[in-house]
mmCIF file with all atom_site columns, all heavy atoms in Angstrom:
data_model
loop_
_atom_site.group_PDB
_atom_site.id
_atom_site.type_symbol
_atom_site.label_atom_id
_atom_site.label_alt_id
_atom_site.label_comp_id
_atom_site.label_asym_id
_atom_site.label_entity_id
_atom_site.label_seq_id
_atom_site.pdbx_PDB_ins_code
_atom_site.Cartn_x
_atom_site.Cartn_y
_atom_site.Cartn_z
_atom_site.occupancy
_atom_site.B_iso_or_equiv
_atom_site.pdbx_formal_charge
_atom_site.auth_seq_id
_atom_site.auth_comp_id
_atom_site.auth_asym_id
_atom_site.auth_atom_id
_atom_site.pdbx_PDB_model_num
ATOM 1  N N   . SER A 1 94  ? 0.821   22.272 35.921 1.00 0.00 ? 226 SER A N   1
ATOM 2  C CA  . SER A 1 94  ? -0.129  23.301 36.348 1.00 0.00 ? 226 SER A CA  1
ATOM 3  C C   . SER A 1 94  ? -0.598  22.964 37.750 1.00 0.00 ? 226 SER A C   1
ATOM 4  O O   . SER A 1 94  ? -0.475  21.819 38.199 1.00 0.00 ? 226 SER A O   1
ATOM 5  C CB  . SER A 1 94  ? -1.308  23.408 35.384 1.00 0.00 ? 226 SER A CB  1
ATOM 6  O OG  . SER A 1 94  ? -2.072  22.215 35.372 1.00 0.00 ? 226 SER A OG  1
ATOM 7  N N   . ILE A 1 95  ? -1.160  23.967 38.432 1.00 0.00 ? 227 ILE A N   1
ATOM 8  C CA  . ILE A 1 95  ? -1.584  23.772 39.821 1.00 0.00 ? 227 ILE A CA  1
ATOM 9  C C   . ILE A 1 95  ? -2.477  22.547 39.923 1.00 0.00 ? 227 ILE A C   1
ATOM 10 O O   . ILE A 1 95  ? -2.241  21.645 40.708 1.00 0.00 ? 227 ILE A O   1
ATOM 11 C CB  . ILE A 1 95  ? -2.321  25.017 40.335 1.00 0.00 ? 227 ILE A CB  1
ATOM 12 C CG1 . ILE A 1 95  ? -1.343  26.182 40.396 1.00 0.00 ? 227 ILE A CG1 1
ATOM 13 C CG2 . ILE A 1 95  ? -2.917  24.745 41.705 1.00 0.00 ? 227 ILE A CG2 1
ATOM 14 C CD1 . ILE A 1 95  ? -2.012  27.502 40.773 1.00 0.00 ? 227 ILE A CD1 1
ATOM 15 N N   . ARG A 1 96  ? -3.532  22.537 39.144 1.00 0.00 ? 228 ARG A N   1
ATOM 16 C CA  . ARG A 1 96  ? -4.399  21.363 39.028 1.00 0.00 ? 228 ARG A CA  1
ATOM 17 C C   . ARG A 1 96  ? -4.968  21.382 37.609 1.00 0.00 ? 228 ARG A C   1
ATOM 18 O O   . ARG A 1 96  ? -4.980  22.397 36.936 1.00 0.00 ? 228 ARG A O   1
ATOM 19 C CB  . ARG A 1 96  ? -5.559  21.404 40.024 1.00 0.00 ? 228 ARG A CB  1
ATOM 20 C CG  . ARG A 1 96  ? -5.168  21.171 41.445 1.00 0.00 ? 228 ARG A CG  1
ATOM 21 C CD  . ARG A 1 96  ? -6.371  20.777 42.280 1.00 0.00 ? 228 ARG A CD  1
ATOM 22 N NE  . ARG A 1 96  ? -7.444  21.745 42.257 1.00 0.00 ? 228 ARG A NE  1
ATOM 23 C CZ  . ARG A 1 96  ? -7.482  22.833 43.019 1.00 0.00 ? 228 ARG A CZ  1
ATOM 24 N NH1 . ARG A 1 96  ? -6.489  23.105 43.830 1.00 0.00 ? 228 ARG A NH1 1
ATOM 25 N NH2 . ARG A 1 96  ? -8.504  23.650 42.949 1.00 0.00 ? 228 ARG A NH2 1
ATOM 26 N N   . GLN A 1 97  ? -5.467  20.285 37.174 1.00 0.00 ? 229 GLN A N   1
ATOM 27 C CA  . GLN A 1 97  ? -6.048  20.237 35.848 1.00 0.00 ? 229 GLN A CA  1
ATOM 28 C C   . GLN A 1 97  ? -7.503  20.646 35.919 1.00 0.00 ? 229 GLN A C   1
ATOM 29 O O   . GLN A 1 97  ? -8.224  20.242 36.831 1.00 0.00 ? 229 GLN A O   1
ATOM 30 C CB  . GLN A 1 97  ? -5.951  18.827 35.281 1.00 0.00 ? 229 GLN A CB  1
ATOM 31 C CG  . GLN A 1 97  ? -6.371  18.744 33.818 1.00 0.00 ? 229 GLN A CG  1
ATOM 32 C CD  . GLN A 1 97  ? -6.274  17.349 33.279 1.00 0.00 ? 229 GLN A CD  1
ATOM 33 O OE1 . GLN A 1 97  ? -6.426  16.387 34.021 1.00 0.00 ? 229 GLN A OE1 1
ATOM 34 N NE2 . GLN A 1 97  ? -6.040  17.222 32.002 1.00 0.00 ? 229 GLN A NE2 1
ATOM 35 N N   . GLY A 1 98  ? -7.943  21.446 34.945 1.00 0.00 ? 230 GLY A N   1
ATOM 36 C CA  . GLY A 1 98  ? -9.347  21.757 34.829 1.00 0.00 ? 230 GLY A CA  1
ATOM 37 C C   . GLY A 1 98  ? -9.852  22.800 35.809 1.00 0.00 ? 230 GLY A C   1
ATOM 38 O O   . GLY A 1 98  ? -11.044 22.981 35.950 1.00 0.00 ? 230 GLY A O   1
ATOM 39 N N   . VAL A 1 99  ? -8.972  23.485 36.477 1.00 0.00 ? 231 VAL A N   1
ATOM 40 C CA  . VAL A 1 99  ? -9.419  24.535 37.385 1.00 0.00 ? 231 VAL A CA  1
ATOM 41 C C   . VAL A 1 99  ? -9.675  25.800 36.571 1.00 0.00 ? 231 VAL A C   1
ATOM 42 O O   . VAL A 1 99  ? -8.860  26.179 35.740 1.00 0.00 ? 231 VAL A O   1
ATOM 43 C CB  . VAL A 1 99  ? -8.350  24.804 38.461 1.00 0.00 ? 231 VAL A CB  1
ATOM 44 C CG1 . VAL A 1 99  ? -8.744  25.985 39.335 1.00 0.00 ? 231 VAL A CG1 1
ATOM 45 C CG2 . VAL A 1 99  ? -8.152  23.556 39.295 1.00 0.00 ? 231 VAL A CG2 1
ATOM 46 N N   . ARG A 1 100 ? -10.773 26.481 36.826 1.00 0.00 ? 232 ARG A N   1
ATOM 47 C CA  . ARG A 1 100 ? -11.154 27.591 35.971 1.00 0.00 ? 232 ARG A CA  1
ATOM 48 C C   . ARG A 1 100 ? -10.158 28.745 36.064 1.00 0.00 ? 232 ARG A C   1
ATOM 49 O O   . ARG A 1 100 ? -9.838  29.374 35.083 1.00 0.00 ? 232 ARG A O   1
ATOM 50 C CB  . ARG A 1 100 ? -12.568 28.054 36.330 1.00 0.00 ? 232 ARG A CB  1
ATOM 51 C CG  . ARG A 1 100 ? -12.969 29.320 35.582 1.00 0.00 ? 232 ARG A CG  1
ATOM 52 C CD  . ARG A 1 100 ? -14.440 29.609 35.744 1.00 0.00 ? 232 ARG A CD  1
ATOM 53 N NE  . ARG A 1 100 ? -15.240 28.702 34.940 1.00 0.00 ? 232 ARG A NE  1
ATOM 54 C CZ  . ARG A 1 100 ? -16.522 28.911 34.661 1.00 0.00 ? 232 ARG A CZ  1
ATOM 55 N NH1 . ARG A 1 100 ? -17.135 29.954 35.143 1.00 0.00 ? 232 ARG A NH1 1
ATOM 56 N NH2 . ARG A 1 100 ? -17.191 28.054 33.940 1.00 0.00 ? 232 ARG A NH2 1
#
Side-chain angles (χ1 to χ4, degrees):
Chain A
S226 64
I227 294 175
R228 288 199 302 278
Q229 188 180 29
V231 175
R232 174 169 285 195

